[in-house]
Amino acid sequence: MADSVGDVDPAFEGAGQKAGIEIWRIEKFCPVLVPKSSHGRFYTGDSYIILKTTALKSGALRQDIHFWLGKDTSQDEAGAAAVKTVELDAALSGSAVQYREVQGYESEKFLSYFKPCIIPQEGGVSTGFKHAEAEKHKTRLYVCKGKRIVQVKEVPFALSSLSEDDIFILDTESKIFQFNGANSSIQERGKSLEVVQYIKDTYHDGKCDIATIEGGESADAESGEFWDFFGGFAPLPEKTSTDDNSSNDVFPTKLYSVEKGQSQPVEVDSLSKELLDTNGCFLLDCGIEFFVWMGKNTSIAERKSASGAAEELIRGLNRPKSQTIRVMEGSETVMFKSKFDSWPQSAETDEDEDDE
């Protein structure tokens, strides 16, 4: 394998040596370490690399790498994050699993690192926007989904965004409202209350009122203030619109080889491990899940090329919100192996693996 120290960004020197989280933001196409005091604060105009190091029962360390792309980040910054993630993996001996995370469509694995949630702020290092702390407070509406891990997503500030199926948080300058849809669960309400407290502490310095509004009821004096923000009370629909993510069943699983930075379809009747060549890189399109497999005998340059080919293919297929997972030969996840009709059993065990 033609790797060298010069192939790895010096910003990653010493990374992943102990359990915890390390974060870098892409600034002028280079990774810059984010101080721990700013962990969990992401900006919509930026791209980040997040390294999660876990101590296993055996005493060994396992690393998972995520690169997070804000909705307003440039294509060049997103590409830099993808490339630098490959370099970080090389600095960690190539055994980390790498995940592509898109704002609003993050994996539960990624969201679990930041309790109780992440709420990206407008702006970014290369944009003309000022960071949110310096701006006048803007009223925002969020929807909260999930009983175990909460995903908080900003939605249009309009009555049409509300429904009885979910929890909504209305963040105003002087008060935060939690709207509990009639069909939401007790667990969801409890988790969303943690989000409300997080917003109060983080964006209001702990100085604002909190109110809970119950759905399925007509407006009363106590909830009137909430409904006034939407032009008055109105009955809400029982069902929300369909999810942005399509079912994996819509897309047939397809394998591609990467040749000189270009993806080429591999025409086969069934998938087996033998199709994967240790001297090459392959892409596996499973719909919402998109895998990049990198052979042990490939160079860092070849892995970067494969990652670029994956980004190009995702754009060409018009599936920008697909979750990309990159795995190295010998460190494949259970999820990846399950996509193959034939994968020989190994004597090794996937110790402490927690695939979603």
Side-chain angles (χ1 to χ4, degrees):
M1 186 170 65
D3 293 345
S4 69
V5 175
D7 293 323
V8 177
D9 197 292
F12 299 136
E13 184 178 351
Q17 299 304 303
K18 59 182 180 179
I21 292 177
E22 297 165 83
I23 301 176
W24 295 263
R25 181 166 66 177
I26 301 299
E27 300 183 12
K28 296 181 180 179
F29 311 115
C30 295
V32 177
L33 190 65
V34 174
K36 287 188 177 182
S37 59
S38 296
H39 284 193
R41 289 202 175 195
F42 295 91
Y43 290 91
T44 63
D46 290 331
S47 296
Y48 297 80
I49 296 173
I50 298 89
L51 171 63
K52 169 68 171 178
T53 302
T54 304
L56 304 180
K57 294 177 181 178
S58 64
L61 295 176
R62 187 195 68 209
Q63 285 92 11
D64 292 289
I65 306 173
H66 304 252
F67 61 105
W68 183 91
L69 309 178
K71 66 180 180 64
D72 300 319
T73 195
S74 69
Q75 187 171 311
D76 287 341
E77 279 190 343
V83 166
K84 291 299 180 181
T85 298
V86 175
E87 293 183 19
L88 175 56
D89 179 52
L92 300 169
S93 302
S95 59
V97 179
Q98 306 161 46
Y99 304 84
R100 176 182 185 266
E101 308 283 354
V102 177
Q103 181 183 341
Y105 301 89
E106 296 89 350
S107 64
E108 282 197 1
K109 187 183 189 74
F110 176 79
L111 293 174
S112 71
Y113 302 157
F114 306 100
K115 300 295 178 65
C117 65
I118 63 169
I119 301 178
Q121 302 173 63
E122 288 186 2
V125 68
S126 63
T127 70
F129 297 122
K130 294 180 179 179
H131 282 170
E133 296 94 330
E135 297 179 344
K136 182 180 178 181
H137 189 278
K138 179 182 177 182
T139 298
R140 299 179 187 277
L141 182 65
Y142 303 97
V143 61
C144 298
K145 293 179 178 286
K147 298 177 182 179
R148 188 174 65 89
I149 303 295
V150 180
Q151 184 174 62
V152 181
K153 185 176 180 181
E154 186 171 358
V155 293
F157 176 30
L159 182 66
S160 58
S161 293
L162 301 176
S163 83
E164 296 288 6
D165 286 342
D166 295 306
I167 309 288
F168 294 85
I169 295 173
L170 179 64
D171 179 20
T172 74
E173 186 170 7
S174 59
K175 200 168 190 176
I176 304 173
F177 299 87
Q178 176 173 323
F179 175 83
N180 296 329
N183 299 330
S184 62
S185 69
I186 294 176
Q187 296 97 319
E188 289 173 318
R189 297 179 188 192
K191 286 291 183 181
S192 297
L193 188 58
E194 294 177 13
V195 176
V196 168
Q197 190 62 48
Y198 171 80
I199 294 174
K200 177 179 178 178
D201 294 339
T202 306
Y203 302 112
H204 295 267
D205 295 322
K207 301 173 183 176
C208 72
D209 295 328
I210 293 175
T212 301
I213 310 300
E214 297 298 333
E217 303 172 1
S218 59
D220 54 26
E222 187 173 332
S223 62
E225 183 182 1
F226 170 80
W227 290 109
D228 284 346
F229 281 98
F230 298 94
F233 172 79
L236 300 179
E238 292 292 323
K239 293 292 181 183
T240 56
S241 59
T242 57
D243 198 304
D244 292 297
N245 286 341
S246 303
S247 168
N248 282 359
D249 295 336
V250 175
F251 307 103
T253 299
K254 194 162 188 177
L255 183 67
Y256 298 82
S257 64
V258 180
E259 302 289 341
K260 297 181 180 179
Q262 301 296 317
S263 58
Q264 302 292 335
V266 178
E267 301 297 338
V268 292
D269 294 327
S270 63
L271 292 176
S272 66
K273 182 182 179 182
E274 287 69 32
L275 293 169
L276 305 176
D277 181 359
T278 190
N279 296 305
C281 295
F282 292 81
L283 313 179
L284 185 64
D285 176 11
C286 302
I288 297 305
E289 299 161 348
F290 205 97
F291 294 90
V292 180
W293 183 91
M294 299 169 289
K296 282 184 176 180
N297 291 339
T298 56
S299 66
I300 294 178
E302 288 172 319
R303 296 171 203 169
K304 289 180 180 178
S305 179
S307 296
E311 292 293 312
E312 287 293 332
L313 186 57
I314 288 172
R315 281 196 291 270
L317 295 171
N318 195 27
R319 280 191 254 136
K321 299 176 180 66
S322 291
Q323 185 190 28
T324 303
I325 303 170
R326 304 194 300 227
V327 296
M328 179 64 65
E329 180 185 2
S331 299
E332 297 90 347
T333 64
V334 172
M335 186 193 302
F336 177 79
K337 294 176 183 177
S338 72
K339 307 299 181 182
F340 288 75
D341 299 321
S342 173
W343 193 283
Q345 292 294 320
S346 170
E348 299 177 0
T349 60
D350 295 310
E351 182 181 11
D352 289 7
E353 185 166 8
D354 57 352
D355 287 321
E356 295 165 80

